[in-house]
Amino acid sequence: MSDLASSLLSQLKDYTKCNDDLAILIRQTILEPFQLDLSQPDALRRPSPSPTRFKQMATKLAPLAMRIVNQNIEGLVGIKRATTRSGNYVIAVNCLVDTSFYALTALRHMSSYTTLKPLDIEKTTSNLICKMVELGEYNRALDEIQKFRLLLASVAKVQLDAKKPATVIQKATAVKNVLTESSRNNQSQVVAMASTTPVVPESIIKSQWEDGMLTKYQDLFQFPLDPSLKDRTIILLVLAYQMNTLRCWCEINEGVLSKYVPYFMERPGNFFDWCKQLLKIDPTVAKKQLDTFQRLLYKAVNRFPSTEEIAFHSHHVQNWALKALILSKSVLLKSITDRVVRIGITYEKSASQGKDFIYMYKALIE
């Protein structure tokens, strides 16, 4: 390993040295040889490396890039505790996250000259995003999940719906969503998701911030599902990004966005649908995913305030937690029916209108 590589890795381990200057140096070292920095005036005048030179740089820099991202993921685990006294937590986190994504982007450029297995980069990216969520970096994580979803769609040869709704959220409309399948010239199958009409009632949107979050991130809760898909790794990558999205969504701003989760679960290609797909090939892991999902929802419900309107959302969210328990078969049916009765009684006492309760009951048994 060169002296420069050793120095960079050593500085990344020292949180007091993790700063913007170090991040820039790492970007210049491992990424800019393969990807121009268009913010630099002379970038376009720089000649592209020859194939031979490209291979030489990739052979030299790929091991460093992989070590950077692996070391950074490990470093993010204890960063809060380690930076308590120094007070440079935010700067250090940004440095580790930024340099990790520089390394991952560089590795994609160098992939032909590395010993990485298929989907290794995607799995590492997923692990990095998971660490960001665990640290509470929810907004940054959601932005990175957006990029990761696009990358995953390319890898899985899936076409995402490019047509955005004309309005942010419309009143609930009963519209069936479909998955269309097409294949051309014996190429890999492409699955496209039909444009959907949002099913979130606009009456529950209480602020411009909620409206903006829905506009920006609601697509993350869907990923087109081919019913014949049997690639366990792809399924787990989709479930991982969707679970990270759910975790962010249920934690941001004291969990105020949790009330929207049931509406997202009514759209095709949601977390629940992908769990059903995993059940076909790996029931054990699928049940763990469903268990994590229901625990996340119950945690969100416990943070809801006690009001009549929130009682409706609480009941709605708990219905999906119960659906997860039913699907995973991890709890006796009698226990589930007892919970149905309890949350029904609680909601009935809180609500003044019975029609919502009837809607909830129908939603649970469907």
Side-chain angles (χ1 to χ4, degrees):
M1 184 182 297
S2 68
D3 291 341
L4 176 60
S6 298
S7 174
L8 294 176
L9 290 169
S10 177
Q11 291 180 75
L12 285 169
K13 279 187 176 181
D14 185 348
Y15 297 130
T16 63
K17 296 180 180 178
C18 285
N19 52 40
D20 293 343
D21 291 337
L22 178 60
I24 291 171
L25 177 59
I26 289 176
R27 184 188 67 200
Q28 292 172 341
T29 302
I30 63 173
L31 179 57
E32 289 185 16
F34 309 99
Q35 179 175 302
L36 295 177
D37 180 5
L38 297 181
S39 65
Q40 299 299 319
D42 62 339
L44 294 177
R45 294 195 295 269
R46 191 181 307 169
S48 300
S50 65
T52 301
R53 177 58 180 159
F54 189 100
K55 182 178 180 180
Q56 290 173 342
M57 291 190 299
T59 303
K60 176 183 177 181
L61 294 175
L64 173 60
M66 201 66 233
R67 287 196 64 177
I68 285 174
V69 70
N70 286 335
Q71 178 179 296
N72 285 356
I73 289 175
E74 183 178 345
L76 287 169
V77 174
I79 192 169
K80 276 190 176 180
R81 181 177 63 255
T83 56
T84 300
R85 292 183 179 180
S86 62
N88 68 326
Y89 168 77
V90 174
I91 295 174
V93 166
N94 287 337
C95 176
L96 292 181
V97 170
D98 288 345
T99 53
S100 296
F101 281 111
Y102 294 151
L104 287 167
T105 303
L107 284 168
R108 291 190 185 99
H109 287 292
M110 299 183 279
S111 59
S112 299
Y113 302 101
T114 68
T115 57
L116 293 172
K117 298 177 183 178
L119 298 179
D120 272 356
I121 296 176
E122 288 70 30
K123 286 187 282 189
T124 304
T125 305
S126 181
N127 289 337
L128 175 60
I129 292 172
C130 186
K131 289 294 182 289
M132 293 168 64
V133 175
E134 290 173 359
L135 286 172
E137 300 293 318
Y138 304 125
N139 289 291
R140 173 73 186 270
L142 285 172
D143 289 338
E144 295 300 338
I145 289 170
Q146 282 186 315
K147 301 172 189 176
F148 182 69
R149 179 173 178 263
L150 294 173
L151 173 67
L152 197 55
S154 175
V155 170
K157 297 180 174 60
V158 169
Q159 181 179 336
L160 299 176
D161 181 17
K163 183 179 180 181
K164 291 282 187 178
T167 55
V168 177
I169 293 292
Q170 301 171 355
K171 293 190 176 181
T173 307
V175 175
K176 293 290 184 180
N177 299 313
V178 296
L179 292 176
T180 59
E181 301 178 6
S182 63
S183 58
R184 295 180 180 178
N185 302 325
N186 296 322
Q187 293 178 350
S188 298
Q189 189 178 52
V190 176
V191 181
M193 181 173 292
S195 179
T196 63
T197 299
V199 295
V200 178
E202 64 181 19
S203 61
I204 73 172
I205 304 173
K206 299 303 180 183
S207 68
Q208 289 185 344
W209 175 78
E210 290 185 22
D211 199 11
M213 292 294 287
L214 287 163
T215 302
K216 189 173 183 180
Y217 298 119
Q218 64 174 324
D219 287 348
L220 295 180
F221 294 90
Q222 291 175 277
F223 195 88
L225 173 60
D226 176 359
S228 65
L229 178 66
K230 295 181 180 180
D231 189 322
R232 182 177 179 275
T233 302
I234 290 292
I235 295 172
L236 289 175
L237 285 170
V238 173
L239 284 170
Y241 107 68
Q242 290 193 338
M243 175 51 69
N244 282 323
T245 303
L246 286 162
R247 290 171 65 190
C248 292
W249 200 257
C250 290
E251 291 292 341
I252 288 178
N253 200 3
E254 300 300 319
V256 69
L257 298 174
S258 304
K259 62 186 177 182
Y260 297 106
V261 171
Y263 299 99
F264 297 144
M265 294 301 106
E266 293 171 1
R267 301 176 183 180
N270 61 61
F271 181 84
F272 214 71
D273 290 343
W274 281 90
C275 279
K276 290 179 180 178
Q277 190 70 14
L278 184 59
L279 275 171
K280 299 175 184 177
I281 58 176
D282 194 337
T284 301
V285 175
K287 289 177 181 179
K288 290 180 180 178
Q289 295 278 346
L290 289 164
D291 182 59
T292 302
F293 177 66
Q294 64 91 13
R295 284 190 283 109
L296 178 68
L297 295 187
Y298 276 122
K299 179 182 177 182
V301 166
N302 290 334
R303 299 168 71 176
F304 284 164
S306 299
T307 65
E308 179 178 336
E309 180 182 4
I310 296 301
F312 172 85
H313 300 314
S314 175
H315 194 292
H316 204 183
V317 171
Q318 287 183 81
N319 274 346
W320 278 96
L322 291 173
K323 283 187 175 184
L325 289 173
I326 292 170
L327 185 60
S328 69
K329 298 180 181 179
S330 58
V331 176
L332 293 175
L333 184 59
K334 183 181 184 302
S335 175
I336 294 174
T337 55
D338 288 344
R339 295 189 194 191
V340 172
V341 172
R342 284 201 302 272
I343 66 173
I345 292 173
T346 301
Y347 176 67
E348 197 170 23
K349 288 179 179 177
S350 303
S352 59
Q353 296 181 358
K355 62 180 181 180
D356 287 337
F357 178 73
I358 294 171
Y359 162 75
M360 294 295 193
Y361 179 73
K362 288 182 177 179
L364 176 61
I365 64 176
E366 284 178 354

